[in-house]
Amino acid sequence: MLRISYEDMVKEFKRVLVKKGFDEKGAEDAASIFAQNSLAGVYSHGLNRFPRVVSYLEKGEINPDNKATCELAMGAFERWNGHRGFGPLNAKIAMDRACELAKQYGIGIVALGDNNHWMRGGSYGWQAADQGCIGICWSNTCPNMPAWGGVDKKIGNNPFIMAIPRSSGNHVVIDCAVSQFSYGKMEDCRLKGQQLPVPGGYDSNGNLTTDPAEIEKTWRVLPMGYWKGSGISIALDIIATVLTNGNSVQTIGTFGDEVGLTQIMIAIDPTKANSVELTDEIVDKIVADVKSSVPVKEGQEVYYPGELETKNILDNRKNGIPVVEEKWNEVLAM
């Protein structure tokens, strides 16, 4: 498999983004976000997603000059507007602000409306944890999943993230869509010629399948936990829309493309109640207990959330980031 250095990936992404209207700093920051996603092994929201975002820039649906601004400040809670700017940069601004509020009040909440796709939601969990904060965040999406018991797309596979800091940097981070698999993950498997490890949706005959291409055709992805994932999706969408007075999943579905999304950033500062050492002790003890699990297959390892990303970063820094040649060549030709 072709492997590309992190630095080369940033360089190519930046080159394209400057051509598409970003200033130098914005292009560097945005390019780094995409490359960091691939570096962490989340290829679906790094290189593989980059061409789609470029197409949105070309259609004028993302304005790289628009930055998120605060519309309402009420102590620990603020409402911000993303003005359809570049989603990842606006989301980063919002989580940084939530962390600032958490350092002041113990908790900070920034409700970000009318933003664009934030790429990998886990980025903002790691961002909060790197600042010593517990991070909780989510985004809604376009309607891309049936509600439980339905056939047509009514709800989003809204990504939900929770991050717990450790002073070592080996944070505990769960980043998941509320579908069994995100569309990005299914695209990644399809491009690699892989089946899903467990059924992720329905084929054109209405049967559960592990074939990502079949699920992409029907758009009938499976909510995680069946009715539970469906209910969580609906609740996340309602809370986000209420707090921002922004766009719901249903409204986003009328836009044609997945733009104008609604996101919530929550940061909690555990040092308001614990020392850093106490928090580390609590997290380390729980993680150690999980790691002591008897694996299903002898010789395998049980991982805590975020552990594989840490391993991927070390490996990909050393050996280069694996890329789908078709996608990499697409970027080189831009």
Side-chain angles (χ1 to χ4, degrees):
M1 176 177 281
L2 180 65
R3 284 183 176 254
I4 303 297
S5 75
Y6 172 79
E7 290 75 17
D8 284 346
M9 188 170 280
V10 171
K11 177 183 169 186
E12 287 299 324
F13 287 163
K14 180 181 176 181
R15 175 186 64 79
V16 173
L17 292 173
V18 168
K19 282 192 171 187
K20 301 301 176 185
F22 278 76
D23 60 35
E24 284 285 324
K25 185 180 186 310
E28 179 78 29
D29 289 346
S32 297
I33 289 170
F34 279 104
Q36 284 164 9
N37 291 348
S38 279
L39 183 69
V42 190
Y43 310 111
S44 57
H45 290 74
L47 171 64
N48 295 359
R49 185 63 65 97
F50 188 76
R52 189 190 308 178
V53 172
V54 170
S55 75
Y56 287 176
L57 285 164
E58 290 172 341
K59 288 190 280 187
E61 291 177 336
I62 297 174
N63 187 332
D65 295 326
N66 289 358
K67 301 291 191 297
T69 57
C70 182
E71 293 186 323
L72 176 67
M74 297 171 52
F77 169 70
E78 294 182 356
R79 176 184 285 177
W80 286 56
N81 189 319
H83 304 292
R84 301 280 179 98
F86 186 61
L89 294 183
N90 280 342
K92 182 180 184 303
I93 290 168
M95 182 54 91
D96 276 339
R97 181 57 183 154
C99 290
E100 285 179 8
L101 293 170
K103 299 292 183 183
Q104 182 177 356
Y105 296 104
I107 187 169
I109 303 175
V110 173
L112 177 63
D114 207 30
N115 196 29
N116 283 316
H117 200 299
W118 65 1
M119 295 302 111
R120 175 176 66 125
S123 301
Y124 316 108
W126 286 91
Q127 178 187 337
D130 282 342
Q131 296 180 52
C133 289
I134 292 168
I136 302 170
C137 56
W138 68 92
S139 174
N140 64 8
T141 68
C142 65
N144 57 17
M145 182 168 70
W148 184 250
V151 174
D152 53 333
K153 305 186 295 290
K154 289 289 186 183
I155 64 176
N157 61 346
N158 309 328
F160 182 66
I161 295 89
M162 292 184 286
I164 303 94
R166 291 205 277 180
S167 61
S168 65
N170 296 326
H171 311 312
V172 177
V173 183
I174 175 70
D175 172 10
C176 60
V178 292
S179 55
Q180 185 64 48
F181 298 96
S182 70
Y183 280 98
K185 178 63 176 176
M186 288 191 287
E187 179 190 43
D188 189 47
C189 286
R190 173 174 54 77
L191 289 169
K192 292 175 179 174
Q194 297 173 348
Q195 293 285 298
L196 301 172
V198 296
Y202 298 88
D203 63 19
S204 49
N205 295 318
N207 298 315
L208 285 172
T209 181
T210 59
D211 185 344
E214 277 294 304
I215 301 166
E216 287 176 321
K217 284 180 195 171
T218 64
W219 283 78
R220 287 188 65 192
V221 294
L222 195 64
M224 68 171 187
Y226 305 114
W227 50 88
K228 296 177 184 178
S230 177
I232 290 170
S233 167
I234 294 165
L236 291 175
D237 183 42
I238 291 172
I239 294 168
T241 307
V242 166
L243 292 182
T244 60
N245 192 27
N247 300 316
S248 66
V249 167
Q250 187 273 329
T251 303
I252 294 164
T254 67
F255 295 156
D257 280 318
E258 196 174 38
V259 293
L261 307 184
T262 300
Q263 290 141 7
I264 302 295
M265 306 290 183
I266 301 172
I268 303 167
D269 181 4
T271 67
K272 298 295 186 188
N274 296 350
S275 66
V276 171
E277 292 75 19
L278 177 56
T279 296
D280 279 347
E281 181 185 336
I282 292 168
V283 179
D284 290 350
K285 186 175 180 180
I286 294 169
V287 166
D289 184 54
V290 171
K291 295 290 293 177
S292 72
S293 300
V294 177
V296 172
K297 293 184 180 177
E298 191 175 345
Q300 284 189 338
E301 190 174 352
V302 175
Y303 296 102
Y304 66 84
E307 185 177 5
L308 283 174
E309 288 181 87
T310 301
K311 288 178 179 288
N312 285 335
I313 289 167
L314 292 172
D315 179 60
N316 290 344
R317 275 282 189 192
K318 180 181 177 183
N319 300 310
I321 301 168
V323 300
V324 175
E325 288 192 50
E326 170 193 340
K327 291 288 184 182
W328 181 242
N329 290 335
E330 195 176 339
V331 173
L332 294 180
M334 287 178 181

